[in-house]
């Protein structure tokens, strides 16, 4: 009998379906709708007005009330809750986004110098001569006496003044402290490239409304502490104290990677792990163990549950009546979950920790109430809770890896038999670990490929070693060190042993399998296929997973047709780098600047090349300035067999010989010509005032109006030399020399070569003032189309369509990412060559 007929057959006066039964019927569609609505809102390119989201929420609530009336007579109406929940989630997320956007730094305050008071709200990250921390701005006043009404969290960097290397130069900061000093405010900004880390999305997720730097020296008085309220942010305060205690104890005796790993497992701070060791951790597929993962929280919950039960039994022996009011299972379950949640909060409350704490709480609550939910309902509930807490968690790779892995494990079901005897149990535990790890590795491989462009081949072996090592030994010992500090030394030794094994595995040939980044539809199909392949289902169904996988394995990104080429100019900040692709070959010109503990090659170029499935056959480093050669070592490590061209002697950075670029050297790939135009000879000595810039390699790709000219940092003098040597030179794309400096891109140069497009690679609001207003004036007066990667993001240009160019910020607009309109507003009062057009086929003027 159907649900509707049962309701009609129910005698008058009988009880109607309970609220719990109704919730069970609608829970699945509603939860699915909430996830879908959140995802749809995150795909918005721009935000609506606040009232539009409010109206949408009101309409969704009215529709929900209507569904509640129709449910008893129309059971199938439960699927109507999917669009209702989707609309509510869309409106709720959009409303939160509008509220956060309202706290953004006013355009006129971008770059402002202020006298301010601020309170540290989160655990600072310390470097050798700097500290980065999040703070709440309590008061800010410009130097002309105007107050800035800024709310929200600001991320500051405090660097030592004058290269002083001492603790006093950058004092120890603790959450709850209030400071006063001089600050420079900046709007949140990051590099905009199609692959790699999206800093602006991360800043939005973290609730950062502005960034800035603490000023000292010169006319700026040193900052000073005004007050200290340790109980205002007690969790962050405790995290900082414990992290600093770990570092203080271990740093003199153990390598930085071991110290950083212990600190990461106890407090969730991963900033102290060196970049080289992070590369080994990623290559071996154990990054999930370095963060506070579900395994850690689950293990802690089990220990806490047992401990709470033992303590309560002891209490019951003294006061038996307490056990009647609060039985041991209740106290043990609630106590274990409470302590596990506290541990997850203490360790940073990441997505895996949130998911685990939520699911454990649901399981305990259901068991104590005598109920049992299907695993899918528990899984969806944890996902909905995570998205309610942080809708933008959907942007995190960890969100998808965590929830997909748990779904695969749940889908495997429980063991069909229970072993007896110690030997059988041990063999069963080892076999189960191997089976589960193999299943999870296979199921997550396409998702890892989509998110990171690579899959760890040694990941199965590495996880078989690392999971028990980290979960059963390293993490418990490290946590116990909070109570008994000498145990941190044992934890550091365990960490050092593990890292040694990971480095060895990462050094194996073919330790990492790289594939081009597939389109989203193919990647989604492959993820579904991989899960289907390992699911507990008949093989006649599982075999379809193979058919869904093969398109990704066979995928090759489209390449330029023979006789044509494309130039990709990444957004590398204040630096220069380019990727040139023909039908079957790739060339890299310059490697970008250093970036903290990393460089532009590692952060930008390598992810993009990996996504394209391209290994460069030739690499050109125009000259030996750090903003052009900062990633040389990273490129050599990744592509040691490439042919290298430089205008200088690279020394130990290049373990091999490099060719010297000189005019007349040329070759052809796939019907496309490559020719160096400068320096005139291999031993050419530039004028004294010219330096390395004057010796920059200049490379022309292609011929005539469909060619591209990569110029390094040559000056107007070298431009004149080139015009004298090549009087008929003309190009379609000119990469402006020296980031748009006043010393280059002369008027004679522009009039002679008549570029279709001029691309300027410069950093947003860089301290050099690039591009110079005089250069932009020349471009605008003569009607040249130009872009600046500071506002365009990564640029793409093709010789097949020389009149067109695309910009990353225009092609992939998102409401949390600065765009053309934002940049126009922010530079309206300071047109120092910052603004540039981002649309294709148009000429803009200031």
């Amino acid at each position: 009998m159907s649900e509707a007929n049962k309701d009609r057959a129910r005698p008058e006066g009988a009880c109607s379906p309970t609220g719990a039964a109704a919730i069970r019927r609608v829970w699945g569609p509603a939860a699915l709708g909430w996830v879908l609505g959140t995802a749809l809102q995150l795909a918005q390119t721009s935000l609506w007005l606040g009232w539009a989201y409010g109206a949408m929420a009101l309409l969704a609530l009215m529709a929900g009330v209507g569904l509640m009336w129709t449910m008893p007579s129309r059971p199938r109406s439960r699927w109507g809750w999917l669009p209702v929940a989707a609309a509510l989630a869309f409106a709720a997320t959009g409303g939160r986004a509008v509220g956060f956007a309202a706290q953004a730094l006013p355009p006129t305050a971008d770059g402002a110098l202020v006298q301010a008071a601020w309170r540290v709200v989160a655990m600072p990250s310390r470097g050798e001569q700097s500290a980065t921390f999040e703070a709440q701005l309590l008061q800010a006043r410009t130097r002309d006496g105007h107050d800035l009404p800024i709310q929200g969290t600001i991320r500051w960097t405090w660097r030592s003044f004058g290269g002083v290397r001492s603790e006093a130069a950058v004092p120890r900061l603790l959450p709850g402290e209030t400071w006063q000093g001089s600050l420079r405010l900046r709007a949140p900004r990051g590099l905009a490239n199609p692959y790699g880390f999206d800093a602006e999305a991360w800043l939005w997720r973290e609730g950062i409304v502005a960034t800035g730097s603490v000023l000292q020296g010169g006319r700026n008085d040193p900052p000073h502490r005004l007050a200290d309220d340790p109980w205002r942010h007690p969790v962050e305060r405790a995290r900082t104290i414990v992290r600093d205690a770990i570092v203080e104890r271990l740093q003199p005796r153990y390598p930085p990677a071991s110290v950083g790993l212990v600190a990461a497992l106890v407090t969730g701070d991963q900033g102290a792990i060196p970049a080289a060791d992070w590369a080994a951790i990623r290559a071996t597929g154990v990054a999930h163990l370095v963060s506070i993962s579900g395994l850690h929280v689950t293990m802690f919950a089990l220990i806490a549950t047992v401990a709470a039960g033992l303590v309560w039994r002891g209490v019951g022996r003294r006061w038996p009546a307490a056990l009647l009011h609060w039985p041991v299972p209740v106290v043990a379950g609630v106590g274990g979950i409470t302590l596990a949640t506290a541990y997850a909060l203490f360790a940073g409350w990441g997505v895996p920790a949130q998911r685990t704490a939520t699911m454990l709480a649901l399981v305990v609550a259901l068991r104590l109430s005598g109920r049992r939910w299907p695993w899918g309902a528990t899984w969806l509930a944890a996902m909905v809770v995570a998205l309610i807490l942080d809708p933008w968690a959907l942007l995190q790779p960890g969100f998808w890896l965590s929830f997909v892995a748990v779904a695969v494990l749940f889908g495997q079901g429980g063991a069909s038999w229970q072993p007896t005897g110690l030997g059988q149990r041990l063999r069963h535990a080892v076999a189960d670990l191997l089976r589960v790890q193999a299943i999870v590795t296979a199921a997550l491989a396409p998702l890892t490929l989509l998110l990171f462009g690579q899959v760890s081949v040694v990941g199965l072996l590495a996880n078989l070693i690392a999971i028990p090592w980290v979960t059963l030994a390293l993490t418990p010992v490290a946590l116990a060190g909070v109570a008994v500090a000498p145990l941190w030394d044992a934890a550091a030794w365990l960490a050092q042993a593990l890292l040694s094994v990971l480095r060895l595995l990462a050094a194996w040939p073919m330790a990492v399998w790289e594939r081009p980044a597939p389109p989203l539809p193919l990647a989604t199909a492959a993820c579904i296929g991989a899960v289907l392949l390992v699911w507990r289902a008949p093989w006649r169904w599982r075999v379809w997973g193979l058919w869904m996988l093969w398109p990704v394995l066979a995928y090759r990104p489209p390449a330029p047709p023979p006789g044509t080429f494309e130039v990709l100019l990444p957004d590398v900040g204040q630096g220069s780098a380019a990727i040139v692709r023909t039908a079957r070959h790739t060339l890299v010109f310059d490697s970008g600047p250093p970036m903290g503990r990393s460089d532009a090659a590692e952060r930008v170029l390598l992810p993009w090349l990996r996504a394209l499935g391209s290994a460069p056959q030739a690499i050109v480093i125009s000259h030996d300035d750090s903003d052009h050669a900062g990633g040389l070592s990273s490129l050599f490590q990744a592509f040691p067999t490439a042919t290298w061209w430089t205008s200088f002697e690279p020394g130990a950075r290049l373990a091999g010989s490099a060719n010297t670029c000189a005019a007349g050297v040329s070759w052809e790939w796939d019907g496309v010509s490559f020719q160096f135009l400068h320096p005139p000879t291999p031993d050419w000595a530039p004028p004294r005032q010219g330096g390395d810039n004057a010796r920059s390699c200049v490379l022309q790709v292609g011929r005539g109006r469909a060619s591209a000219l990569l110029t390094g940092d040559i000056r107007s003098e070298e431009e004149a030399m080139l015009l004298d040597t090549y009087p008929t030179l003309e190009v379609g794309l000119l990469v402006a020399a020296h980031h748009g400096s006043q010393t280059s891109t002369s008027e004679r140069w522009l009039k002679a070569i008549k570029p279709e497009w001029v691309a300027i690679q410069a950093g947003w609001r860089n301290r050099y003032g690039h591009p110079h207003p005089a250069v932009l004036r020349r471009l605008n007066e003569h009607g040249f189309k130009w872009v600046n990667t500071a506002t365009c993001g990564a640029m793409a240009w093709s010789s097949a369509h020389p009149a067109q160019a695309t910009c990353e910020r225009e092609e992939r607009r998102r409401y949390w990412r600065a765009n053309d309109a934002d940049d126009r507003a922010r530079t309206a009062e300071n047109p120092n060559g910052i603004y540039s057009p981002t649309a294709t086929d148009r000429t803009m003027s200031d």
Side-chain angles (χ1 to χ4, degrees):
M1 183 181 294
S2 68
E3 294 290 334
N5 291 333
K6 287 180 181 179
D7 289 338
R8 295 191 191 101
R10 185 177 291 110
E12 186 176 352
C15 296
S16 60
T18 64
I23 291 174
R24 283 198 300 270
R25 287 202 297 269
V26 306
W27 168 247
L32 197 59
W34 191 274
V35 176
L36 180 62
T38 303
L40 289 174
Q41 198 284 326
L42 298 188
Q44 281 193 291
T45 58
S46 59
L47 292 173
W48 299 342
L49 296 176
W51 65 263
Y53 292 111
M56 187 178 193
L58 180 61
L59 291 174
L61 289 172
M62 293 172 61
V65 172
L67 282 174
M68 290 176 64
W69 283 96
T70 59
M71 276 187 61
S73 58
R74 300 177 59 187
R76 292 185 180 179
S77 65
R78 66 180 181 273
W79 287 103
W81 286 97
L82 191 150
V84 169
L88 280 173
F90 189 101
T93 306
R96 289 174 64 175
V98 168
F100 178 67
Q103 302 175 12
L105 189 70
T108 54
D110 193 4
L113 298 174
V114 299
Q115 290 293 322
W118 66 88
R119 181 184 296 117
V120 183
V121 299
M123 178 171 59
S125 175
R126 290 191 62 87
E128 185 180 359
Q129 301 179 63
S130 65
T132 303
F133 59 97
E134 294 173 10
Q136 179 185 1
L137 199 60
L138 304 178
Q139 182 183 12
R141 178 169 294 181
T142 61
R143 292 188 170 178
D144 57 4
H146 290 89
D147 289 330
L148 291 179
I150 303 174
Q151 299 178 350
T153 303
I154 299 180
R155 187 173 179 82
W156 303 112
T157 300
W158 188 339
R159 293 184 176 89
S160 63
F161 176 69
V164 177
R165 293 175 179 265
S166 68
E167 187 69 18
V170 181
R172 182 190 182 196
L173 301 170
L174 292 173
E177 292 180 340
T178 301
W179 287 75
Q180 185 177 50
S182 299
L183 306 172
R184 184 184 294 277
L185 293 171
R186 298 285 192 189
R189 193 78 179 196
L191 305 179
N193 294 292
Y195 304 98
F197 181 63
D198 188 344
E200 287 175 61
W202 180 83
L203 290 167
W204 179 279
R205 273 202 66 250
E206 295 296 310
I208 308 297
V209 300
T211 61
S213 54
V214 179
L215 305 179
Q216 56 183 335
R219 294 188 302 165
N220 304 300
D221 295 330
H224 59 278
R225 187 186 290 108
L226 293 178
D228 185 10
D229 185 357
W231 295 106
R232 188 174 288 273
H233 301 284
V235 175
E236 293 297 322
R237 180 87 168 208
R239 291 180 69 202
T240 304
I241 292 172
V242 171
R243 190 274 313 274
D244 290 350
I246 292 173
V247 173
E248 182 179 354
R249 180 178 182 87
L250 301 181
Q251 198 170 46
R253 299 189 296 274
Y254 296 95
S258 302
V259 179
L261 183 53
V262 174
L265 292 174
V266 176
T267 66
D269 179 20
Q270 303 170 11
I273 301 176
D277 292 282
W278 261 119
I281 289 170
R282 287 192 298 266
T284 51
V286 299
H288 64 101
L289 294 174
V290 177
S291 61
I292 306 301
S293 68
L295 280 173
H296 302 146
V297 176
T298 302
M299 176 204 67
F300 191 93
L302 290 173
I303 295 173
T305 300
V306 172
L310 291 174
V311 170
W312 194 245
R313 284 190 179 92
V315 171
R317 295 189 188 98
R318 188 175 181 89
W319 296 289
L323 299 181
L324 298 177
H325 290 87
W326 298 286
V328 170
V330 173
V331 173
V334 173
I337 293 303
T338 302
L339 292 173
T341 303
Y343 168 56
L345 287 169
F346 181 80
W349 198 236
V351 170
Q354 293 177 25
R355 183 259 306 159
T356 305
T358 302
M359 296 185 75
L360 289 173
L362 277 173
V363 169
V364 170
L366 290 170
R367 286 192 175 182
L368 293 179
S369 64
R371 295 183 176 89
R372 184 175 181 180
W373 281 7
W375 71 262
T378 305
W379 182 80
L380 268 177
M383 184 177 289
V384 169
V385 170
L387 293 182
I388 290 174
L389 293 173
D390 180 9
W392 297 279
L394 276 175
L395 303 174
Q396 281 189 295
F399 178 91
W400 297 102
L401 292 171
S402 175
F403 277 97
V404 171
V406 170
V408 170
L409 293 176
F410 270 131
Q412 297 304 305
S416 57
W417 65 282
Q418 294 297 326
T420 59
L422 181 60
Q424 279 191 349
R425 289 181 181 179
L426 184 60
R427 286 194 298 272
H428 179 73
V430 172
D432 195 52
L433 176 63
L434 180 61
R435 179 184 65 85
V436 168
Q437 190 56 47
I439 287 171
V440 171
T441 300
L444 294 185
L447 186 57
T448 306
L449 187 66
L450 171 65
L451 296 172
F452 305 112
Q454 60 184 26
V455 177
S456 175
V457 176
V458 298
L460 176 58
L461 176 58
N463 276 279
L464 288 174
I465 298 170
I467 287 177
W469 190 269
V470 172
T471 306
L472 302 178
L474 177 53
T475 301
V477 172
L479 289 175
V482 177
V484 184
L487 289 176
W488 282 332
D489 293 87
W493 183 87
L494 291 170
Q496 191 171 348
L498 175 65
L499 289 168
S500 299
V501 174
L502 296 181
R503 294 189 198 103
L504 182 64
L505 292 176
W508 284 6
M510 298 296 293
V512 175
W513 181 54
E514 296 182 354
R515 294 290 301 163
L520 184 59
L522 289 185
T524 303
C527 293
I528 296 173
V531 172
L532 182 61
L533 194 62
V534 300
W535 207 259
R536 281 203 167 182
W539 272 105
R540 65 177 180 275
W541 296 109
R542 288 205 219 179
V543 74
W544 287 100
L546 294 174
W547 289 103
M548 300 176 75
L549 281 171
W550 79 260
V552 164
L553 301 178
Y555 174 74
R556 293 289 186 277
T564 67
F565 66 95
E566 67 177 1
V567 178
L568 308 174
L569 296 175
D571 181 5
V572 292
Q574 185 62 19
S576 179
I579 299 171
V580 181
R581 297 177 72 221
T582 65
R584 292 177 298 175
H585 295 82
T586 301
L587 176 142
V588 172
F589 188 95
D590 282 341
S591 59
M595 294 181 175
R597 295 182 296 173
S598 182
D599 54 63
E602 183 178 351
R603 291 192 181 185
V604 179
L605 288 174
L606 293 181
W608 203 340
L609 289 167
R610 188 183 302 124
L612 295 172
S614 298
Q617 288 75 32
I619 299 175
V620 180
I621 305 297
S622 63
H623 63 296
D624 198 14
D625 280 359
S626 63
D627 55 342
H628 294 251
L632 185 155
S633 298
S634 295
L635 284 181
F636 177 75
Q637 185 177 0
F639 309 111
T641 61
T643 301
W644 286 78
W645 297 88
T646 67
S647 63
F648 59 95
E649 176 54 51
R653 290 175 293 173
L654 193 63
S657 60
N659 303 299
T660 302
C661 51
V665 176
S666 64
W667 68 93
E668 185 173 299
W669 283 342
D670 309 317
V672 178
S673 66
F674 291 75
Q675 181 179 6
F676 285 113
L677 306 184
H678 187 77
T681 61
D683 57 352
W684 181 74
R688 180 178 299 178
Q689 67 271 24
D692 287 338
N693 288 353
R695 276 191 59 85
S696 294
C697 302
V698 176
L699 179 66
Q700 183 181 21
V701 185
R703 295 185 177 88
R705 304 297 298 167
S707 68
L709 195 63
L710 309 175
T711 58
D713 276 355
I714 62 171
R715 307 166 302 151
S716 57
E717 290 85 345
E718 286 73 53
E719 293 173 350
M721 288 175 56
L722 288 171
L723 291 179
D724 293 339
T725 307
Y726 307 97
T728 61
L729 180 65
E730 57 180 3
V731 300
L733 171 67
L734 169 66
V735 180
H738 206 179
H739 323 290
S741 168
Q742 187 181 14
T743 60
S744 308
T745 320
S746 63
E747 189 158 357
R748 180 193 171 195
W749 176 248
L750 291 171
K751 286 182 178 179
I753 65 175
K754 300 180 180 65
E756 190 80 40
W757 280 91
V758 178
I760 303 168
Q761 288 186 293
W764 172 255
R765 290 197 179 277
N766 62 85
R767 61 193 178 101
Y768 306 102
H770 295 158
H772 196 275
V775 173
L776 299 187
R777 216 164 20 245
R778 291 177 207 138
L779 295 172
N780 292 326
E781 287 174 357
H782 296 287
F784 293 111
K785 294 177 290 189
W786 59 275
V787 296
N788 181 0
T789 54
T791 52
C792 161
M795 175 194 177
W797 179 89
S798 171
S799 65
H801 306 284
Q804 300 177 7
T806 60
C807 287
E808 174 66 16
R809 290 190 183 274
E810 191 72 17
E811 291 291 300
R812 295 176 177 84
R813 291 172 63 94
R814 289 293 183 268
Y815 59 79
W816 56 79
R817 176 180 278 184
N819 54 46
D820 184 44
D822 297 334
D823 294 334
R824 180 188 286 271
R826 292 188 182 280
T827 58
E829 295 188 6
N830 182 27
N832 187 28
I834 303 298
Y835 177 74
S836 68
T838 56
T840 60
D841 272 335
R842 68 176 182 179
T843 302
M844 301 292 295
S845 60
D846 284 341

